Amino acid sequence: MPLPIIIGAAALATAAYGVKKGYDGYQKHSEADEIVKSAKSRYERKKSAFDEQEAETTLVLEMLGKKELEIGQSFGEFKTLADKLLQQLQANRQNKLEIRIPKHELQKIESYSYTAVGVLGTVVGAGAAGAAAGFAVYGGVMALGAASTGTAISSLAGVAATNATLAAIGGGSLATGGLGMAGGTAILSAAVAAPILAIAGWAYNSHGEEALKNARKADTEVSEAVGKLGRAIEQLILTEEYARKIKVVLSSIYGQFNQYFDSLKEIDSFLEDLKGRTVDKEAELAKLNDEIIRIIENGYALAAILVDVITTPIFKVKKVNGEVLKDENDVPVMERDKDDFMIVNETNLDKILIKARSDAGGIAAI
């Protein structure tokens, strides 16, 4: 056979081989594209659901934190007014007047009020909402130790604001690569780099194989990420549910507390009005003696119940010898599960909420 024919046949065979390998490469590359497209779509759907739930949970925590701070501020105002009226009652008595509230309960109420007022005075403007959410998570746990340990209120407020996002609560780094994919969907394009098209069919096929390999790897990572996002959503939903439960109980008991607070304000206004009149002020005050004591005692009793609810942490805290473990920034260290999520303090929250309702129900309404 003449040489040119042999060369021609060899060239045809080589071309056919190249076409076949090129087609195989195209098929694998197309398969890789479909895998990546599907994986990206799955991730984006789950991430969108996570973002929506995160926003909703954060909003509920903000509302809870604002309510807790409002309650703490009211305690300070109640104490100021109660002390004023007690001093007036005491003025004409030889025996010291005592209210029947344990001293440690009064100290607890005062400490919480001090913290709440301090945080409200430190965080203003746009940062207030974030600080409120953070306070709902950390503030109650930190509040009772703030005054006694000398923890700066501004520091506590800063910690609350810094840790307000749910990324800190759930998974530690969901938004910054904690899903095994350094930064969400952006990694997909890097993990599955488009193959370099070469003239030779075998080169294209080689990159097709690599693309398919990378696509499958990315798909596995996305499946893991989607699974973690799903568990994170469940965690956020549970957190939201308990934040709502706590707020409902607090609002109910706080309404009861405000009835006593309003009555105390009315008595104070009445006594102030007497100052400009020619009446026996001491006699009028004596008539209100038992009523003032009852209002103050019941008001403080309700305040103590509210503080017990607020200072029961939403998430389980680590303890050493019965004391809350804190990090170098004096922030409580939370227990975490296998996914690095904080663990909702379900059992203790259920107990304290039931007890709070029961105890408040035993205090007669005005």
Side-chain angles (χ1 to χ4, degrees):
M1 182 179 294
L3 185 60
I5 295 177
I6 296 174
I7 294 175
L12 286 173
T14 300
Y17 176 77
V19 169
K20 174 65 168 61
K21 297 300 289 183
Y23 179 74
D24 289 344
Y26 169 78
Q27 287 286 86
K28 288 173 181 176
H29 182 242
S30 296
E31 184 180 351
D33 285 344
E34 286 301 315
I35 291 173
V36 171
K37 182 179 178 181
S38 174
K40 188 174 181 180
S41 177
R42 283 190 294 117
Y43 178 82
E44 289 176 345
R45 286 198 303 272
K46 186 62 74 172
K47 184 63 166 61
S48 176
F50 169 83
D51 289 342
E52 289 180 11
Q53 185 58 53
E54 181 185 35
E56 181 63 25
T57 305
T58 301
L59 177 61
V60 174
L61 282 172
E62 286 174 6
M63 295 190 311
L64 174 60
K66 287 177 181 178
K67 178 59 68 176
E68 291 177 345
L69 290 168
E70 176 191 348
I71 289 170
Q73 186 175 42
S74 292
F75 290 166
E77 297 167 357
F78 182 88
K79 181 180 185 303
T80 298
L81 187 53
D83 288 348
K84 174 186 175 182
L85 292 174
L86 286 173
Q87 285 176 2
Q88 291 180 35
L89 292 176
Q90 187 68 43
N92 299 306
R93 294 176 63 95
Q94 292 183 345
N95 299 324
K96 186 176 180 181
L97 199 62
E98 296 282 353
I99 58 173
R100 295 170 297 177
I101 296 292
K103 189 174 182 179
H104 73 275
E105 294 284 359
L106 293 175
Q107 290 175 337
K108 184 167 63 175
I109 294 167
E110 185 176 358
S111 180
Y112 178 71
S113 177
Y114 171 82
T115 302
V117 171
V119 170
L120 282 169
T122 304
V123 184
V124 295
F135 190 84
V137 175
Y138 292 94
V141 187
M142 300 171 72
L144 299 186
S148 61
T149 62
T151 299
I153 294 300
S154 58
S155 174
L156 192 157
V159 167
T162 301
N163 291 282
T165 64
L166 269 293
I169 292 173
S173 55
L174 279 171
T176 56
L179 298 172
M181 300 169 53
T185 55
I187 196 64
L188 292 175
S189 58
V192 189
I196 300 172
L197 298 179
I199 296 176
W202 62 266
Y204 185 66
N205 183 61
S206 173
H207 283 276
E209 289 279 6
E210 191 66 21
L212 191 56
K213 177 182 176 182
N214 287 335
R216 287 168 176 162
K217 179 182 178 182
D219 186 60
T220 299
E221 290 184 342
V222 166
S223 294
E224 293 174 357
V226 167
K228 188 166 188 179
L229 280 171
R231 293 189 293 277
I233 290 171
E234 292 174 358
Q235 165 80 340
L236 293 175
I237 290 173
L238 186 60
T239 301
E240 180 189 341
E241 287 177 353
Y242 272 94
R244 288 186 184 279
K245 287 179 182 179
I246 294 167
K247 186 173 181 294
V248 166
V249 172
L250 289 179
S251 296
S252 175
I253 300 174
Y254 184 47
Q256 196 175 346
F257 167 84
N258 276 328
Q259 290 178 356
Y260 285 99
F261 195 6
D262 289 342
S263 293
L264 212 58
K265 291 176 184 176
E266 290 172 5
I267 291 173
D268 181 58
S269 294
F270 170 72
L271 294 175
E272 287 294 319
D273 288 342
L274 293 180
K275 289 182 179 180
R277 302 178 185 179
T278 56
V279 295
D280 189 340
K281 300 180 186 64
E282 292 183 8
E284 292 297 325
L285 184 60
K287 293 177 185 177
L288 296 170
N289 184 87
D290 292 343
E291 181 69 5
I292 291 172
I293 295 297
R294 185 181 72 85
I295 290 173
I296 291 174
E297 287 180 345
N298 286 349
Y300 273 131
L302 289 165
I305 294 169
L306 288 166
V307 172
D308 284 342
V309 173
I310 293 169
T311 55
T312 300
I314 294 179
F315 300 94
K316 291 184 179 181
V317 295
K318 285 189 176 181
K319 292 187 177 182
V320 177
N321 298 324
E323 296 293 325
V324 175
L325 181 65
K326 297 183 180 180
D327 63 17
E328 65 277 5
N329 297 314
D330 207 33
V331 179
V333 177
M334 303 295 188
E335 292 185 10
R336 294 181 179 271
D337 63 16
K338 61 182 179 61
D339 290 312
D340 200 32
F341 297 148
M342 292 182 185
I343 302 170
V344 178
N345 194 18
E346 296 180 67
T347 301
N348 289 332
L349 286 172
D350 287 338
K351 287 181 180 178
I352 196 65
L353 293 178
I354 292 171
K355 185 177 186 299
R357 285 186 182 276
S358 175
D359 291 349
I363 299 174
I366 286 183

